[in-house]
């Protein structure tokens, strides 16, 4: 069994927990989706941060320029960055996937004030904990982002690449796509951007980028057993945090439903 197969075997139970998480079936209304989005947007944002950490580590992003690392890994990360940071929206305008997600939240009537306050404070003060406090970020979302930034702060590109590859891509279940399609049929004017976002995520991230990211991880870990072991443990932790993130979203959705039932 090669290293990729070993990691896949190790994380398969966690992947199944994510793909079959009860949060998806709990999303029955626009209101439920809004709560989900207010949690998920943090994962969309810190994915971009992890992506840029990889680009910083694998390419020269400072002046004076000099050839850094291998041209092969430079190509792989730059190709992914182009797709994530400057994709197209439904009208053909260039947007990052995070900006596209914010558009989807606004169209659906989800609260974007929290993530906006978080980013504004972080930009000014560069302190995650303070930004979470100011924005009143849900604990599950804060824990998820903190784990991602531990990976970023490790300054180990092989760990960053593994978490990016195994911990973030290709985790959207068909069931969730079906739920969104059903909601879109009833509320097209509120769900169309989110539906498009999911389609782009599956098409770009789950297909093309997955192959590029796998190749990048293999090139960075090579035959170093310690690298592969560290990478695997980081991926496991990342997936555990994703489960906790979905748990948090599920609990808030269900709490809101019970309040509605009482009235």
């Amino acid at each position: 069994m090669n290293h990729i197969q070993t990691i896949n075997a190790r994380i398969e139970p966690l992947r199944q927990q994510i793909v079959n998480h009860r949060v998806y079936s709990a999303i029955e209304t626009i209101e439920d989706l809004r709560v989900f989005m207010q949690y998920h947007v943090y994962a969309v944002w810190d994915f971009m941060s992890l992506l840029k950490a990889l680009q910083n580590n694998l390419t020269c992003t400072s002046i004076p320029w000099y050839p850094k690392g291998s041209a092969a890994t430079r190509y792989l990360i730059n190709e992914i960055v182009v797709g994530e940071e400057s994709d197209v929206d439904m009208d053909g305008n260039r947007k990052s996937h995070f900006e596209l997600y914010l558009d989807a939240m606004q169209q659906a009537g989800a609260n974007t004030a929290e993530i906006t306050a978080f980013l504004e404070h972080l930009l000014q003060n560069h302190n995650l904990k303070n930004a979470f406090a100011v924005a009143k970020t849900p604990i599950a979302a804060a824990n998820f982002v903190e784990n991602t930034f531990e990976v970023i702060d490790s300054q180990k590109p092989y760990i960053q690449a593994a978490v990016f590859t195994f911990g973030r891509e290709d985790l959207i279940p068909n069931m969730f796509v079906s739920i969104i399609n059903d909601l879109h049929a009833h509320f097209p004017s509120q769900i169309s951007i989110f539906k498009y976002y999911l389609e782009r995520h599956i098409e770009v991230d789950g297909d093309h980028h997955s192959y590029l990211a796998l190749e990048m991880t293999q090139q960075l870990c090579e035959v170093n057993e310690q690298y592969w072991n560290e990478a695997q443990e980081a991926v496991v932790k990342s997936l555990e945090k994703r489960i906790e993130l979905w748990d948090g979203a599920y609990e808030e959705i269900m709490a809101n439903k019970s309040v509605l039932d009482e009235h």
Side-chain angles (χ1 to χ4, degrees):
M1 188 182 288
N2 66 31
H3 291 105
I4 298 293
Q5 291 172 325
T6 300
I7 291 179
N8 278 329
R10 171 75 173 83
I11 66 175
E12 184 57 26
L14 294 169
R15 282 178 53 84
Q16 288 304 316
Q17 283 187 59
I18 293 167
V19 170
N20 298 306
H21 199 285
R22 55 190 178 174
V23 72
Y24 300 118
S25 55
I27 298 170
E28 299 171 321
T29 65
I30 294 283
E31 289 74 22
D32 299 335
L33 180 62
R34 288 171 185 155
V35 173
F36 175 85
M37 294 172 91
Q38 285 156 209
Y39 277 76
H40 187 211
V41 68
Y42 283 94
V44 176
W45 171 76
D46 79 354
F47 177 82
M48 299 298 297
S49 299
L50 183 58
L51 174 70
K52 297 304 283 187
L54 275 164
Q55 189 181 36
N56 287 341
N57 281 323
L58 299 178
T59 73
C60 182
T61 54
S62 58
I63 297 168
W65 181 89
Y66 63 96
K68 182 178 180 180
S70 79
T73 51
R74 274 181 246 146
Y75 165 76
L76 293 168
I77 190 60
N78 284 333
E79 179 79 0
I80 297 171
V81 167
V82 168
E84 297 289 344
E85 201 172 33
S86 49
D87 200 4
V88 290
D89 66 13
M90 294 173 72
D91 301 317
N93 301 309
R94 290 289 169 191
K95 290 272 177 81
S96 69
H97 283 185
F98 174 73
E99 291 164 308
L100 184 58
Y101 201 91
L102 284 183
D103 289 347
M105 289 181 74
Q106 287 163 351
Q107 185 194 43
N111 177 16
T112 59
E114 181 186 290
I115 186 71
T116 301
F118 166 76
L119 289 178
E120 285 175 353
H121 190 83
L122 189 62
L123 194 61
Q124 291 172 359
N125 299 280
H126 309 288
N127 186 300
L128 275 176
K129 282 185 164 45
N130 287 350
F132 291 140
V134 167
K136 297 182 172 60
T137 302
I139 291 171
N143 290 343
F144 183 87
V145 171
E146 283 185 338
N147 180 66
T148 301
F149 272 78
E150 284 175 16
V151 171
I152 290 169
D153 292 341
S154 75
Q155 290 301 316
K156 294 179 176 179
Y158 59 93
I159 288 179
Q160 295 167 351
V163 170
F164 184 88
T165 302
F166 296 97
R168 309 305 290 267
E169 303 282 23
D170 192 26
L171 289 172
I172 296 178
N174 292 332
M175 178 181 71
F176 186 48
V177 176
S178 297
I179 290 166
I180 296 306
N181 286 340
D182 288 345
L183 281 174
H184 180 259
H186 293 95
F187 310 101
S189 63
Q190 291 176 276
I191 304 293
S192 62
I193 300 177
F194 188 68
K195 181 175 181 287
Y196 174 81
Y197 167 86
L198 282 184
E199 290 166 354
R200 290 300 293 166
H201 183 87
I202 292 165
E203 179 184 346
V204 177
D205 297 0
D207 185 11
H208 181 52
H209 287 180
S210 288
Y211 294 116
L212 295 174
L214 267 175
E215 192 176 337
M216 179 172 62
T217 302
Q218 285 181 306
Q219 287 188 14
L220 291 169
C221 290
E222 294 183 317
V223 293
N224 189 313
E225 292 296 328
Q226 182 182 337
Y227 281 13
W228 282 109
N229 290 335
E230 286 182 52
Q232 179 172 292
E233 291 313 306
V235 170
V236 166
K237 188 175 180 184
S238 173
L239 292 176
E240 288 171 345
K241 292 298 178 185
R242 170 72 72 153
I243 293 166
E244 289 176 20
L245 181 69
W246 280 179
D247 287 344
Y250 172 80
E251 285 159 13
E252 187 164 332
I253 288 169
M254 298 311 291
N256 289 350
K257 287 180 191 287
S258 66
V259 168
L260 287 173
D261 289 344
E262 288 171 9
H263 291 85

